[in-house]
Amino acid sequence: MSGPPPPVKKTLITCSNPSCERYGRPGDKAPLKCANCKSARYCDKDCQRQHWRQHKEFCKIWAATSANNGHTSVAQIKLKMAHLIWLLRGIPDYVTHMFKEYSYWQKRGKRGFIEFEFYHWEHILEAIRFIEGLPVYEEVPFVGMPGTPSYAPLGTKQLTLPLRRISSEAFPRFKELVEDCMHFKENQNRPNLQRALDVAMQCDDLFVISVSVGLESTYSTHIYDFIYRSTSWHSSNNGPVAAGPVK
């Protein structure tokens, strides 16, 4: 598996404390990792202490998830989730399909997003393997909106997005592994999601995509990004020039 683009990896290693000015800043690696869950990262002990009240509940779940899945950390699972978004944005016909689904609900006054929901992390691995097996017919330059997980800052290596098609023969399996997991959803309880939705409401040429994976008990983990109508984000669009940290 090729994995997600480098900017995503750099976002997931930043400080996990939302009150920290370095939270979600791509490339700003937080050196301290939670010893229990191996996923939350912090600038220092002060950041860790500030965030403990919010983190302690999830810490137990993340640690249990890792212990029951061959010590695969939630941070590693999130990288797979980001990789699925990267693969999906590289299927133009399916991006058009997602836009139609999103627009249907948006025109009816819904403030929501497209989510792919997987009940176990192995299910998302199977979906990734299947999409990676689809033939690549072209590779195109990709630019993400500043402030998003897939944004590559100026001066860094430009991203190249492989484009794929889903043949009629491959579609039944794609439907089983991917399409049947896709839904339009509304949610007012995830703080990071609300910031992303605020951005999406400013422009008709993008929407929020979310991937959700079930963890232990009734918990799940999520990751967000934007899907663009024209594959890449363009600053000339009548929309936002940047997003806040979306992690």
Side-chain angles (χ1 to χ4, degrees):
M1 294 183 186
S2 57
V8 173
K9 298 178 182 179
K10 292 180 179 180
T11 299
L12 293 177
I13 61 173
T14 61
C15 186
S16 298
N17 178 15
S19 63
C20 176
E21 63 179 11
R22 298 165 67 184
Y23 171 78
R25 186 187 295 170
D28 201 344
K29 184 176 180 179
L32 184 62
K33 185 186 293 186
C34 176
N36 188 44
C37 71
K38 306 290 193 300
S39 291
R41 305 186 75 106
Y42 300 98
C43 301
D44 50 38
K45 288 287 186 180
D46 287 339
C47 264
Q48 188 174 21
R49 278 192 291 268
Q50 290 173 23
H51 191 234
W52 176 242
R53 181 175 295 180
Q54 290 76 34
H55 177 61
K56 63 180 178 180
E57 181 180 7
F58 297 100
C59 186
K60 296 176 183 178
I61 298 299
W62 292 0
T65 298
S66 175
N68 293 332
N69 290 281
H71 298 287
T72 300
S73 69
V74 170
Q76 291 172 306
I77 293 173
K78 280 181 173 286
L79 283 175
K80 301 300 182 185
M81 296 159 68
H83 186 32
L84 178 65
I85 292 177
W86 179 248
L87 292 171
L88 290 172
R89 73 166 74 252
I91 310 176
D93 289 344
Y94 195 64
V95 168
T96 299
H97 170 70
M98 288 191 287
F99 259 103
K100 288 180 179 177
E101 179 72 11
Y102 174 76
S103 298
Y104 174 87
W105 294 106
Q106 186 189 41
K107 290 175 181 177
R108 284 155 178 78
K110 303 295 185 180
R111 182 179 183 270
F113 54 102
I114 296 293
E115 180 158 271
F116 291 81
E117 189 173 9
F118 298 87
Y119 294 106
H120 193 274
W121 78 281
E122 288 185 350
H123 298 163
I124 196 172
L125 294 183
E126 195 172 2
I128 288 172
R129 283 192 290 264
F130 178 79
I131 297 175
E132 286 189 321
L134 299 174
V136 174
Y137 67 87
E138 187 180 358
E139 294 188 353
V140 298
F142 173 81
V143 177
M145 185 194 303
T148 64
S150 52
Y151 171 66
L154 293 175
T156 60
K157 184 178 179 181
Q158 186 179 42
L159 301 178
T160 301
L161 179 66
L163 302 184
R164 294 174 167 89
R165 294 190 183 97
I166 307 167
S167 66
S168 56
E169 294 81 7
F171 183 76
R173 185 62 172 157
F174 178 85
K175 182 178 185 301
E176 177 187 353
L177 295 176
V178 182
E179 169 73 4
D180 287 350
C181 300
M182 188 268 278
H183 312 280
F184 179 90
K185 295 185 72 173
E186 293 181 289
N187 187 291
Q188 303 297 326
N189 300 319
R190 307 179 201 167
N192 293 348
L193 173 61
Q194 305 315 309
R195 290 192 288 269
L197 292 177
D198 288 342
V199 171
M201 295 299 290
Q202 301 177 43
C203 184
D204 293 330
D205 291 327
L206 57 81
F207 65 82
V208 176
I209 183 171
S210 167
V211 174
S212 170
V213 174
L215 304 178
E216 295 300 304
S217 185
T218 58
Y219 289 81
S220 58
T221 186
H222 313 87
I223 194 167
Y224 314 108
D225 207 329
F226 294 94
I227 294 291
Y228 313 105
R229 195 181 298 276
S230 57
T231 305
S232 286
W233 172 79
H234 297 283
S235 59
S236 59
N237 289 349
N238 294 322
V241 297
V246 180
K247 188 177 178 184

